[in-house]
Amino acid sequence: MNKLTKLLGIKYPIIQGPMAWITEAELAIAVGEAGGAGVIACGSRNAAWIREEVKKVRAATDKPFGLNVPLLDLNKDELLRTACEEKVPFVTIGAGNPIPYIESFKKAGIKVICVIPNLKLAKRVEDNGADAIVIEGMEAGGHIGSITTMALLTNIIPEMKIPVIAAGGIADGRGMAAAFLMGAAGVQIGTAFLLAEECTVHMNVKRRLIEAMDTDSVVTGLLHGHSARCLKNDFTEKYLGLERTAAPQEKMDQLATGTSRLSAVEGDIANGSVFAGQSLVRLKSIRPVREIIESIYNEAVEVLNKAPGLLIKRD
Ligand SMILES: Cc1cc2nc3c(=O)[nH]c(=O)nc-3n(C[C@H](O)[C@H](O)[C@H](O)COP(=O)(O)O)c2cc1C
């Protein structure tokens, strides 16, 4: 057991990253049963949907799971209130300042994990009672900050007392081992779970991911402060074209609205925004969640066992 597995009551220190329009009860159940921590993404949803998903998880497993609330969501108050009322084991909150919301979750007996883009906010959420933080580097899929995972691990971990979970670009056991050597207590993985059999994302997205090369990743919105990492396609070409010509923000928002759902649910991988991280090349097959989690964990253990000999030759 380490600090994170103890905190959440899980077997492996692996959190399935919440992914809007994608990570629902089915994946959270499978991840929990396999020994990780599943997270239902509440972004773009409403109270009734959340309650239904929570009910499904509770009916299927007694393993811990979490709800994720992105604070940039227009109905964030409804999502936060519902998460609190449902008294789920833990919440992850990010994409904004989580401090005003920590206390009410703690009072409801819910563990709070904040998704943090920099050291200053990391220290402030720790001082305000957060149980753990996720530091998510710009290698990650979806909405991102501007700092890499390696730099976040370097800058933030030595300053923190609460467990730190590394995210962004971790897709195998070597990445997990590297994060642990840097002092992380866990990893949050998104893109690699898109290829889980139990992941409900459209099959077109899965197929596109399997074909993707390292150079297929691109960031939209860099110039306007709403950066999102996704796979290159017709949508990103049009969006980046608008950015280059300094088109009005309104026009770009219009083009981007609804595009996550378009790819994830409807399978339009040309005109939808296909969120995915930069670590793509090793993602080659669709596998059961249990196999994904165990292969990542076992590889990390193998790599860490070899670690002492990497720097100092032992006879
Ligand atoms: C398709 C997709 C959708 C995402 N949606 C969310 C979200 O709704 N809320 C959130 O906090 N993070 C979201 N993320 C970030 C993931 O939870 C996770 O931190 C990230 O994927 C880790 O980096 P990786 O993709 O390199 O594994 C999303 C990522 C992807 C790939």
Side-chain angles (χ1 to χ4, degrees), residues 2 55 63 80 140 206 235 254 264 267 305 309:
N2 78 358
K55 211 158 105 187
K63 298 287 194 286
L80 289 162
K206 294 188 181 186
F235 162 73
Q254 212 174 14
N305 279 335

Side-chain angles (χ1 to χ4, degrees), residues 12-252:
Y12 301 119
I14 298 176
I15 298 184
Q16 160 254 303
M19 294 184 267
W21 295 113
I22 297 168
T23 61
E24 308 177 346
E26 190 174 341
L27 188 59
I29 294 164
V31 171
E33 284 293 310
V39 186
I40 295 169
C42 301
S44 307
R45 306 290 192 167
N46 60 27
W49 182 87
I50 295 170
R51 290 195 203 286
E52 196 50 40
E53 294 307 295
V54 168
K55 211 158 105 187
K56 285 186 210 162
V57 179
R58 288 194 164 129
T61 180
D62 57 359
K63 298 287 194 286
F65 66 100
L67 293 176
N68 166 257
V69 179
L71 297 172
L72 49 68
D73 225 84
L74 287 179
N75 64 339
K76 71 173 188 318
D77 293 334
E78 178 185 348
L79 306 180
L80 289 162
R81 200 173 47 246
T82 312
C84 220
E85 286 169 5
E86 285 294 324
K87 296 203 185 326
V88 291
F90 70 94
V91 291
T92 73
I93 40 179
N97 176 11
I99 291 169
Y101 312 106
I102 295 175
E103 201 185 328
S104 50
F105 282 118
K106 302 279 295 195
K107 275 192 182 146
I110 298 170
K111 307 239 166 50
V112 182
I113 302 177
C114 300
V115 187
I116 295 300
N118 59 51
L119 176 60
K120 192 171 165 196
L121 193 56
K123 290 189 77 70
R124 286 186 61 214
V125 299
E126 179 172 84
D127 291 345
N128 282 275
D131 293 291
I133 57 167
V134 173
I135 50 178
E136 190 194 64
M138 51 97 80
E139 297 92 322
H143 294 284
I144 52 169
S146 57
I147 304 178
T148 61
T149 304
M150 179 59 89
L152 287 169
L153 292 168
T154 304
N155 294 335
I156 295 180
I157 289 184
E159 308 290 328
M160 305 300 293
K161 292 184 209 74
I162 56 176
V164 177
I165 300 150
I170 299 168
D172 62 13
R174 291 172 309 137
M176 179 168 174
F180 273 73
L181 286 173
M182 292 294 288
V187 291
Q188 174 166 294
I189 296 175
T191 304
F193 280 113
L194 290 172
L195 288 185
E197 272 176 14
E198 298 88 341
C199 179
T200 53
V201 76
H202 199 283
M203 190 52 82
N204 291 350
V205 172
K206 294 188 181 186
R207 286 199 201 98
R208 175 71 188 93
L209 266 176
I210 288 171
E211 285 167 8
M213 293 304 297
D214 47 358
T215 46
D216 285 344
S217 182
V218 72
V219 179
T220 58
L222 260 180
L223 299 178
H224 299 274
H226 298 291
S227 313
R229 182 174 297 287
C230 40
L231 296 180
K232 283 179 192 166
N233 62 3
D234 292 352
F235 162 73
T236 60
E237 203 169 305
K238 279 185 207 151
Y239 194 98
L240 294 172
L242 289 177
E243 279 194 272
R244 272 192 299 275
T245 54
Q249 183 65 43
E250 218 174 56
K251 209 166 168 191
M252 287 187 272

Side-chain angles (χ1 to χ4, degrees), residues 191 209 212-214 217 231 276-284:
T191 304
L209 266 176
M213 293 304 297
D214 47 358
S217 182
L231 296 180
Q278 275 185 311
S279 292
L280 294 161
V281 179
R282 291 197 78 200
L283 306 179
K284 283 288 163 264

